[in-house]
Amino acid sequence: MELVFENIPFFLKGAYYTLYVTVISMFFAFIIGLLVAIARLKGPIWLRLIARFYVSIMRGTPLLVQLFVIYYGLVDYGVTLGSLTAACLGLSLNAGAFLSETFRGAIQAVPKGQMEAAYATGMTPAQAMRRIIFPQAVRIAIPPMGNTFIGMLKETSLVAALGVTELLRSAQLLVAQYYVNMPFYLAIGVIYWIMSIGFSAILEQVERRLARAY
Amino acid sequence: MKTRKGWSLTAILLMTVLVLSACGSKATDNGGTNGAQASNELEQIKSAGVIKVGMMGTYAPYNFLNDKKEMDGYDADIAREVAKRLGVKVEFVSQEFSGLTPSLQAKKLDAIISQMTITDDRKKVLDFSDPYITNQVKIIVKEDNNDITKLEDFKGKTIGVGLGTNDETYLRNEVLPKVGDFTIKTYDDVISSLKDLNAGRIDATINNMYALKPIVDANGFNIKAVGEPIKSDQAGIAVRKDNPELVAALNDALKGMKDDGTYNTIFKKWFGEEPAQ
């Protein structure tokens, strides 16, 4: 255990990269998810098909494969991304697909009558979406969104394969230095856990804030 | 109204924080993908003032993280010395061995200094400097195992080896057809293969002697090397193909080190003996 405490600064650096990748990917995944969900619900037929295809591919292939395609594969076509950029891009695209399903479900869960009532008051479809449907859908979407985000936090460990020294890779390097496994793997387990508790707490706050209307 | 305000406030706050952090990322990332169009790669490295060297970082005493959390070891010292002679700084990237060659080809690295054995197969996709070390590879088994002393004894056993290493190719392409069926289990680093050997999950592994000593010393592993060396390997500095200027510069640096004794000093520091001639 002493070894772990001695190496906390090193772990923190790894945790920093883990958090960094997670937060940036969350932001872009959120935007992608929203756009794709709207495209699938309201878009013209060709856009719906593209969106469906995207979701199907992202959900149907392993994240590690997607990361390899982006990091190693794209180079053959002249696109050379840094490992952090590739990591964020891969995670955003992947989580975006999952989030779009969450959002789609949430939007559909708002009763149809709400939309009709909005139209009846003379709102345009865009206004109705923004003012009536979204605020309600967001509340429904938060718990499953939390699932996706926390899942993403843990999946960042795959980024070690792209040469990012995040938490998992930090532990591997320390294992190689001290030749003991258990304390280091346990330690990063705890750090992942603490970080996911942090995210849960933030989401809970957001949820409470949004629920105040009721 | 109250609701909407509260909601948008939270949203705006969240977005601002996220966008700010995202901006930070773009700025730092761009440094990694510098222009690949300059005349030759030696010039590029010199003008960047830094050579990006890939290594496993989990292979003591060749390359590992020391107490100060810096890359250290024989490979790291060679890399530093070579960089000094090129007049540039060195930046280490630690990655699993099997990811090093793809990263080099994807131009994420300038060179690999990680006990990469010079082989004809690798020469098809990489260029190598002159060798900077010769390693003898032996069979390693548990202390109480007397069944395996030579390659022929591998038949029906499970043998561990590093994924993507020259040892793996050797086992698959040369030993397997000759000896008959055995299972090859691959690992991303040397330590986990030795731990599995010690735990009895594999029957044997092959590796070189220098790599074993620190691990065995630190762990009191009950493992031993048996038989005669099965082969001897020469490792070089790997760079991208068709890169003669860089290879020539690396060779000059290595030769200079050997001539003025720096090479011997580094070798003795890590292995406690004079390099074999």
Side-chain angles (χ1 to χ4, degrees):
Chain A
M1 266 292 109
E2 244 173 76
L3 284 180
V4 171
F5 289 119
E6 269 170 40
N7 288 297
I8 278 182
F10 189 64
F11 277 126
L12 287 183
K13 215 170 141 198
Y16 165 75
Y17 281 110
T18 293
L19 210 58
Y20 178 97
V21 170
T22 311
V23 170
I24 291 175
S25 308
M26 269 183 191
F27 174 68
F28 288 108
F30 185 86
I31 294 174
I32 293 171
L34 209 57
L35 293 179
V36 172
I38 294 171
R40 282 194 67 177
L41 288 170
K42 306 280 168 199
I45 183 77
W46 58 269
L47 192 59
R48 282 182 207 208
L49 284 176
I50 293 176
R52 264 183 84 158
F53 182 64
Y54 160 74
V55 172
S56 166
I57 282 190
M58 287 297 157
R59 289 206 306 186
T61 56
L63 177 59
L64 189 59
V65 174
Q66 294 163 14
L67 289 172
F68 281 172
V69 165
I70 290 170
Y71 187 70
Y72 295 123
L74 284 182
V75 176
D76 296 348
Y77 301 92
V79 183
T80 306
L81 300 170
S83 38
L84 273 179
T85 318
C88 292
L89 183 62
L91 277 167
S92 305
L93 288 174
N94 182 276
F98 284 92
L99 276 184
S100 78
E101 289 294 88
T102 299
F103 292 151
R104 193 168 65 96
I107 291 170
Q108 281 176 331
V110 177
K112 266 216 166 71
Q114 298 281 322
M115 194 61 148
E116 284 159 12
Y119 286 154
T121 62
M123 289 188 195
T124 64
Q127 279 175 329
M129 267 312 242
R130 210 178 61 231
R131 294 186 187 165
I132 307 296
I133 308 296
F134 274 155
Q136 300 184 66
V138 161
R139 290 194 189 94
I140 304 170
I142 283 185
M145 200 166 81
N147 266 345
T148 309
F149 283 162
I150 286 167
M152 197 157 93
L153 173 75
K154 293 177 290 181
E155 278 173 349
T156 52
S157 60
L158 295 175
V159 170
L162 308 189
V164 179
T165 308
E166 41 64 78
L167 263 181
L168 177 65
R169 187 71 188 154
S170 324
Q172 288 172 337
L173 288 171
L174 289 175
V175 166
Q177 187 187 341
Y178 296 101
Y179 308 106
V180 283
N181 288 306
M182 199 50 146
F184 296 123
Y185 289 133
L186 273 184
I188 60 164
V190 170
I191 297 175
Y192 277 118
W193 188 40
I194 291 173
M195 288 198 289
S196 69
I197 290 176
F199 278 117
S200 310
I202 293 172
L203 283 166
E204 211 167 291
Q205 281 299 317
V206 175
E207 198 169 0
R208 203 172 300 160
R209 179 74 63 90
L210 294 180
R212 219 176 275 165
Y214 287 124
Chain B
M1 275 318 278
K2 208 180 150 213
T3 355
R4 273 199 39 144
K5 213 168 152 195
W7 186 80
S8 37
L9 246 173
T10 328
I12 289 169
L13 245 162
L14 250 166
M15 293 288 169
T16 328
V17 173
L18 289 168
V19 169
L20 278 177
S21 54
C23 291
S25 89
K26 288 285 136 20
T28 42
D29 274 356
N30 286 341
T33 52
N34 42 23
Q37 302 308 322
S39 53
N40 75 56
E41 295 196 9
L42 179 61
E43 296 302 319
Q44 280 173 46
I45 291 169
K46 284 195 168 160
S47 68
V50 61
I51 181 165
K52 279 198 246 166
V53 174
M55 53 176 52
M56 282 187 275
T58 55
Y59 197 25
Y62 296 109
N63 52 71
F64 60 98
L65 210 64
N66 67 13
D67 292 335
K68 292 187 206 114
K69 304 292 166 262
E70 290 160 345
M71 276 300 157
D72 207 347
Y74 177 77
D75 287 342
D77 275 356
I78 294 280
R80 283 197 196 96
E81 189 61 32
V82 164
K84 200 170 95 191
R85 283 163 200 261
L86 293 180
V88 296
K89 283 201 188 120
V90 62
E91 182 190 320
F92 293 118
V93 179
S94 127
Q95 217 178 354
E96 283 152 13
F97 190 80
S98 52
L100 286 172
T101 304
S103 286
L104 182 73
Q105 285 170 328
K107 300 194 174 168
K108 324 278 186 190
L109 303 172
D110 299 315
I112 301 171
I113 308 184
S114 188
Q115 291 304 304
M116 188 164 283
T117 299
I118 304 169
T119 66
D120 290 337
D121 275 346
R122 287 199 181 124
K123 276 191 199 157
K124 287 177 199 153
V125 288
L126 301 169
D127 276 352
F128 281 97
S129 73
D130 294 335
Y132 68 92
I133 190 167
T134 303
N135 287 307
Q136 302 219 305
V137 177
K138 281 194 162 186
I139 299 171
I140 298 137
V141 294
K142 263 188 107 160
E143 191 74 60
D144 55 7
N145 183 335
N146 296 314
D147 302 341
I148 301 175
T149 50
K150 53 190 185 302
L151 288 172
E152 284 69 29
D153 301 330
F154 281 5
K155 196 171 163 104
K157 298 286 200 294
T158 305
I159 312 299
V161 69
L163 177 64
T165 61
N166 168 57
D167 291 345
E168 186 199 355
T169 320
Y170 171 74
L171 277 185
R172 267 187 218 291
N173 299 345
E174 289 181 45
V175 183
L176 201 60
K178 213 167 62 190
V179 172
D181 232 8
F182 59 87
T183 312
I184 295 173
K185 195 169 171 197
T186 52
Y187 293 88
D188 277 327
D189 53 65
V190 180
I191 292 178
S192 38
S193 68
L194 291 178
K195 283 208 182 250
D196 258 18
L197 179 66
N198 194 52
R201 284 193 279 220
I202 52 176
D203 298 304
T205 180
I206 60 173
N207 216 314
N208 70 64
M209 298 309 300
Y210 295 137
L212 292 177
K213 206 178 164 318
I215 303 181
V216 176
D217 288 352
N219 282 290
F221 275 175
N222 295 316
I223 58 177
K224 61 180 179 188
V226 289
E228 289 300 303
I230 51 179
K231 64 187 170 96
S232 105
D233 288 335
Q234 291 192 308
I237 303 173
V239 297
R240 273 184 293 280
K241 201 93 191 113
D242 300 322
N243 214 343
E245 297 87 356
L246 182 55
V247 173
L250 292 174
N251 285 341
D252 277 351
L254 287 174
K255 188 168 181 310
M257 286 162 64
K258 282 180 182 162
D259 290 347
D260 69 12
T262 321
Y263 177 82
N264 272 37
T265 313
I266 294 175
F267 200 96
K268 259 203 218 149
K269 174 179 167 194
W270 292 106
F271 308 125
E273 58 186 53
E274 293 283 339
Q277 289 310 307

